[in-house]
Amino acid sequence: VEVRVKDVSVGPYWTGSSWTSTVEKWINPGVSTNPWSYPTAAWISPGKRFEVHARAVDKAGNVQTVYSTSPFRYDTILPTAGVGDPAHGTYRNALATISGTSDDAGGAGASGVTAVKLRVRRNTDSYYWNGAVFAAAVTTITPTGTTPWTYTGLTGGALVSGTSYYAEVWAEDAATNIGAIGAPPQAANFWYDT
């Protein structure tokens, strides 16, 4: 087996020890078993796009002419999301939507936000909104969109006047990274008062 690795983000090929080759470089991974593997620790770095090509070479020196290609993005950067409305620390006498934004700030190598998740807790009893009522089970709901995102399933009719609520949000990206959950701007504590 021979392997060729290209950094699609900037163009060079992996030589086995550095990214210096502008000419295609086939590397023998030193493994003749099936399945084979090639360690990535030396050449892979976050936020970049790569192509890995593999071809078979037999003992007689015959080389596979149609080879396997696997393009991928290596993304270890956590996506972010924030609650914009209602703003943290505010009082509301009406609520039609909960909304905000998200981002996967890994540049050209970022895999992109694929989902935003939201939880809304009523602080007096720590019950969570499940899409229909507040209940004891911790429930996650999925807003519409990612950037921006909006949730319209919780309106003033389900809220109790004089009560505070805690909305927390996080983003997930195509590389299955899950963003931080916690303090503002990922969360907003607000009061409902009619």
PDB file of all heavy atoms in Angstrom, residues 27 35 54 77 93 159:
ATOM      1  N   ILE A  27       3.828   7.657  -0.188  1.00  0.00           N
ATOM      2  CA  ILE A  27       4.546   7.203   1.002  1.00  0.00           C
ATOM      3  C   ILE A  27       4.164   5.763   1.301  1.00  0.00           C
ATOM      4  O   ILE A  27       2.975   5.408   1.252  1.00  0.00           O
ATOM      5  CB  ILE A  27       4.181   8.086   2.223  1.00  0.00           C
ATOM      6  CG1 ILE A  27       4.500   9.553   1.926  1.00  0.00           C
ATOM      7  CG2 ILE A  27       4.887   7.616   3.478  1.00  0.00           C
ATOM      8  CD1 ILE A  27       3.821  10.508   2.875  1.00  0.00           C
ATOM      9  N   PRO A  35      -6.875  -4.680   7.065  1.00  0.00           N
ATOM     10  CA  PRO A  35      -6.804  -3.260   6.700  1.00  0.00           C
ATOM     11  C   PRO A  35      -5.470  -2.635   7.125  1.00  0.00           C
ATOM     12  O   PRO A  35      -4.836  -3.095   8.056  1.00  0.00           O
ATOM     13  CB  PRO A  35      -7.957  -2.644   7.477  1.00  0.00           C
ATOM     14  CG  PRO A  35      -8.123  -3.496   8.672  1.00  0.00           C
ATOM     15  CD  PRO A  35      -7.754  -4.900   8.238  1.00  0.00           C
ATOM     16  N   ALA A  54      -4.976   6.459  -1.552  1.00  0.00           N
ATOM     17  CA  ALA A  54      -4.330   5.172  -1.273  1.00  0.00           C
ATOM     18  C   ALA A  54      -4.369   4.316  -2.525  1.00  0.00           C
ATOM     19  O   ALA A  54      -5.355   4.323  -3.263  1.00  0.00           O
ATOM     20  CB  ALA A  54      -5.040   4.471  -0.125  1.00  0.00           C
ATOM     21  N   ILE A  77     -12.172  22.655  16.441  1.00  0.00           N
ATOM     22  CA  ILE A  77     -12.575  23.932  17.030  1.00  0.00           C
ATOM     23  C   ILE A  77     -14.055  23.874  17.376  1.00  0.00           C
ATOM     24  O   ILE A  77     -14.888  23.517  16.540  1.00  0.00           O
ATOM     25  CB  ILE A  77     -12.272  25.092  16.075  1.00  0.00           C
ATOM     26  CG1 ILE A  77     -10.759  25.132  15.819  1.00  0.00           C
ATOM     27  CG2 ILE A  77     -12.780  26.412  16.623  1.00  0.00           C
ATOM     28  CD1 ILE A  77     -10.346  26.025  14.689  1.00  0.00           C
ATOM     29  N   ASN A  93     -42.505  41.517  29.326  1.00  0.00           N
ATOM     30  CA  ASN A  93     -43.938  41.399  29.591  1.00  0.00           C
ATOM     31  C   ASN A  93     -44.644  40.658  28.453  1.00  0.00           C
ATOM     32  O   ASN A  93     -45.845  40.480  28.465  1.00  0.00           O
ATOM     33  CB  ASN A  93     -44.585  42.769  29.831  1.00  0.00           C
ATOM     34  CG  ASN A  93     -44.499  43.677  28.620  1.00  0.00           C
ATOM     35  OD1 ASN A  93     -44.095  43.256  27.536  1.00  0.00           O
ATOM     36  ND2 ASN A  93     -44.882  44.933  28.810  1.00  0.00           N
ATOM     37  N   LEU A 159     -45.812  30.971  30.274  1.00  0.00           N
ATOM     38  CA  LEU A 159     -44.946  31.536  31.306  1.00  0.00           C
ATOM     39  C   LEU A 159     -45.765  32.074  32.471  1.00  0.00           C
ATOM     40  O   LEU A 159     -46.895  32.521  32.301  1.00  0.00           O
ATOM     41  CB  LEU A 159     -44.092  32.657  30.710  1.00  0.00           C
ATOM     42  CG  LEU A 159     -43.224  32.261  29.508  1.00  0.00           C
ATOM     43  CD1 LEU A 159     -42.521  33.481  28.943  1.00  0.00           C
ATOM     44  CD2 LEU A 159     -42.222  31.195  29.902  1.00  0.00           C
TER      45      LEU A 159
END
